[in-house]
Structure formats: structure tokens, C-alpha cells
Amino acid sequence: MLEAAGVDAEEERVYRFLLGVREADTGGIAAQLGWEAARVESVLAALHGKGLVGRAAEPPAGGPERYVPMAPDAALRPLLLRGHEALEWARRGVEQLAEEYRAGGRRHDAEQLVEVITGASVIRQRLRQMAYGAGEMRWLCKARPVALAAAENDEEWELLARGVRYRTIYERELLEGPGMVDNVARSIRAGEQARAAGTLPVRLVIADSSMAICPLVYESGDVLDGAGAGASDGHGDGDATERAPGPADRVGEPTAAVIHSSSLLDALIALFESQWAAATPLHVTDSGELADFEDGQNPAVHLADDERYLLSLIVAGVADKAIASQLWVSQRTVQRRIQALMQRAGALTRTQLVWQVAQRGWLTNG
């Protein structure tokens, strides 16, 4: 029972005996357990070294030394902590060895860096496996070509409920597909962080920072008008109409690259983050509608007059204190409103906010 704390079965038996009698000498323990005295002495020495037993303060004159048990909670807690630390060190050691093993394999075998998989069902299965083992999923959802036909998607909402983080960038054309607005709004309400971009360079999914899947070759007949994001990106609830298959449809199957930890994966992650910083955040309004994409790059219609005025002062370089004076609000309120605008624009700094304002025409449109 106490092996996890570093106490073996014999030591536990003697310790439990002492807990019952409160105090005993070597001979008494040996007689009760039917052991030889030397065996008991060895076990007591081990228990004493682990802080589980102590020697009685005043043994009888001329009598044998007596032992008393220490309180279990005080005695076992340090042992459990040491055991936990040892397990943690062992876990880290295993992870380090595993990474060294993978790194060695990658140096000698390029196929372990980039794995090529072919076939819609194979790609879909790998995507599912990747999603269920991840803590964060990042998607670049390009409108076309769609690598896989639209299909049912239940795992995203299940994983969002489990606490998996989803960050998705949708190409604006994709959002015009039948049913896509409701689908994306549902994802956002479930916890997905979504943004929209005019165009995306590639269709891509990244799991944590350990693996990515990127389509390489698309099947000729697999482009569906208005198919939504498709099963390949896990957002394919949109209704799609397939055209009749022709000879070109059988040319080849979709092919994707599975990229493992490497400089190439780092580059793909950097690509996603740069696209994320430039994309427009999407949100669901109080009425349940998806906002901030209908007007393309100029969503200024969603800005109130006071927000436009505040942005004009920021762009002009007016200090927060002066802005607060002009708006008849506190400086803290000004800073809070600026933070809200930065979040809405996907900006991390005021310089980025000013750039986004200019890019999107927030002060020149609407």
C-alpha cells in the first residue's frame, strides 16, 4: 500500500504493528510477527532512517531499546513529496530521451520530418487524431480549393467543451457559403476565437506546436461551391451541392503533408500568427448574428460615433489625459475603451491599432 512512498511490505507491516501497540522493543516485535530479531532490527533501522519510527525517550534501566511510531501524516508526507519529485524527474527524463530519439531519427530520415498521406478518409482520420490529442488547434480556412467534402463535425464542440482552445481564420469568400454564418457563430458561442481575412495563402491546421497538416494536392472534383470550410478544417456544417462527377474527378485523391517538429513547422506557425495579427476579429452580436465580416475590409459601420472620434484622437497622437478631458471621462475609462478597440482590431499595441485603422478605413468609410 505504501510502496509509492518508498516503504516496502515488510517495513509497512512493522510500522502498522507499532501503530497498534504504540511502543515495543525488538524482541517483542519479533515474537509477535514470528520473525528473527536480526530481521526486525534491519527493518526498524530502515524505518528510523525514513522518519517513520523513533526511539523511546527513556528505555527501562538495563532493558532493550524501545521504538515508537511517528505520526503517519507528518512522516509520510515528505516521502510522498520525494516520490513525486522523483517521478517528475523521471517523466522529464523520458520526454528528453524521446525528443532526442525523434531528433536523431529526423536527422537520419527526412520522412520523419514530413509525412505524406493520401486519401480523403486517411486525412480526415489523421485530423481527428490530432485534434483529440491537442490542447490548442489553429486553422487557416481557405475558401477553395476544398480538400475534402463537407461532412458532419461534432468533435470541435466536444473539444471546446473540454477546454481545447480553437483559433480559426476564415477566408471571407468562405463565409458567404450557405449555412456558414450560422456554423461559425455557433463555434464562436462555444468558445472558438475566430477572425476573417480577405485571402489566405494556404489551407492549414496546427495542433499545439508539435504538428501541422497542409494539403499538397487537391482532388480535381473535390471543389465544392459553397461547401463551407469542409471536413478538412472541422467546420463543415454548410450545405453543399456536388456537381455530377466527370472523368477529371478520378484523376487523383487529395494529398496532404504532415509536418512534425522542425524549422518548417516553426515557419508555418509564424505564418499563422502573422495572418492572425492582420485578420479581423469576428464576434456574435446580442441578436445572435455574426458581425465584422459583411463589409469586407471596411467594417466601420459597426463603429459608434464616439468610437470614431476616439480613434481620430488616437491617430492624431493626442495623449490619454487630453483625450479624457475632451470626452469628459476619466483617463482610466479612455484606456479601457482603447483596449476594447485594440482587441476588436486584433492589435497588441497602439501602433498596430493605428495601422489597422488605416488598413480597414475605419475613419474614411462609413
Side-chain angles (χ1 to χ4, degrees), residues 60-298:
E65 198 164 36
R66 300 178 68 82
Y67 294 87
V68 295
M70 299 292 101
D73 52 349
L76 291 172
R77 187 176 293 114
L79 295 177
L80 290 172
L81 288 175
R82 284 198 293 271
H84 177 74
E85 290 173 357
L87 288 173
E88 181 63 20
W89 277 106
R91 183 188 65 80
R92 293 178 182 177
V94 170
E95 289 180 353
Q96 183 178 356
L97 290 173
E99 179 56 33
E100 290 177 5
Y101 173 80
R102 289 191 292 268
R106 288 193 293 266
R107 284 193 296 269
H108 293 88
D109 187 357
E111 291 184 359
Q112 294 192 31
L113 283 177
V114 179
E115 175 188 358
V116 178
I117 55 178
T118 302
S121 61
V122 175
I123 296 173
R124 183 59 180 154
Q125 181 62 27
R126 180 61 67 89
L127 285 166
R128 286 179 179 272
Q129 293 173 351
M130 194 166 69
Y132 277 104
E136 180 185 24
M137 297 292 290
R138 287 175 275 195
W139 290 93
L140 291 182
C141 295
K142 191 172 177 61
R144 62 185 69 217
V146 174
L148 300 173
E152 292 183 1
N153 169 48
D154 295 322
E155 67 262 24
E156 179 189 352
W157 296 295
E158 176 188 344
L159 293 170
L160 283 168
R162 291 185 186 179
V164 177
R165 185 186 183 197
Y166 271 78
R167 288 197 290 155
T168 306
I169 307 174
Y170 297 93
E171 203 167 66
R172 294 185 187 279
E173 181 184 350
L174 179 63
L175 296 172
E176 297 172 1
M180 278 305 300
V181 169
D182 292 338
N183 187 40
V184 174
R186 178 185 175 188
S187 296
I188 293 174
R189 284 193 294 269
E192 177 185 280
Q193 299 177 47
R195 297 190 176 188
T199 59
L200 291 173
V202 69
R203 180 177 289 273
L204 176 69
V205 56
I206 302 170
D208 296 325
S209 296
S210 60
M211 186 184 299
I213 293 182
C214 178
L216 295 176
V217 178
Y218 300 96
E219 187 175 4
S220 300
D222 221 4
V223 178
L224 307 181
D225 292 333
S232 65
D233 56 21
H235 298 275
D237 280 355
D239 296 329
T241 302
E242 278 189 78
R243 58 179 174 79
D249 298 320
R250 294 182 290 274
V251 170
E253 292 185 286
T255 301
V258 181
I259 300 98
H260 299 276
S261 296
S262 60
S263 297
L264 176 57
L265 178 61
D266 294 339
L268 292 175
I269 293 172
L271 170 65
F272 175 90
E273 295 300 338
S274 66
Q275 293 291 323
W276 180 264
T280 305
L282 301 177
H283 68 274
V284 179
T285 65
D286 294 338
S287 60
E289 298 178 350
L290 190 65
D292 279 6
F293 79 88
E294 297 93 340
D295 299 290
Q297 293 292 331
N298 303 317

Side-chain angles (χ1 to χ4, degrees), residues 12-31:
E12 181 177 350
R13 187 176 179 187
V14 173
Y15 180 64
R16 285 181 176 276
F17 174 78
L18 285 173
L19 288 175
V21 300
R22 307 299 293 177
E23 183 178 326
D25 59 30
T26 301
I29 298 172

